[in-house]
Amino acid sequence: MSEDTQDAPRQRRSTERKAVLLRLDPAVHAALQRWAADELRSVNAQIEILLREGLKAAGRSPRGVGPLPRRGRPPTSEHDT
């Protein structure tokens, strides 16, 4: 591996998200979809919250994990808050 490849994950950690393919039973996905809708979240955000809670409950939370992204549309400029 080159140095650029090794340094890349540390540089990206706070700004990029890791894309993961997840195969779910359709009934499980439907239940997650309903739950996420009840809490005004996307299915993806709901899954991440559940995974983080599971890691914390198991005492396996990773060090240096960033906060969950804020809800809603990102601001279009620095002046939008």
Side-chain angles (χ1 to χ4, degrees), residues 11-80:
Q11 293 171 353
R12 292 187 285 188
R13 186 179 306 170
S14 64
T15 57
E16 288 190 23
R17 313 287 290 161
K18 177 75 175 169
V20 177
L21 175 64
L22 180 63
R23 290 181 177 86
L24 297 172
D25 182 283
V28 170
H29 185 271
L32 280 168
Q33 207 167 22
R34 287 189 302 273
W35 190 1
D38 289 347
E39 298 191 12
L40 302 175
R41 291 190 182 104
S42 67
V43 172
N44 189 72
Q46 191 70 20
I47 290 169
E48 183 167 5
I49 286 170
L50 293 171
L51 288 171
R52 285 174 180 245
E53 288 174 357
L55 286 167
K56 185 176 180 181
R60 294 179 172 264
S61 293
R63 290 186 186 141
V65 68
L68 283 169
R70 291 182 55 190
R71 285 184 172 181
R73 186 170 293 184
T76 55
S77 71
E78 292 180 18
H79 302 291
D80 293 345

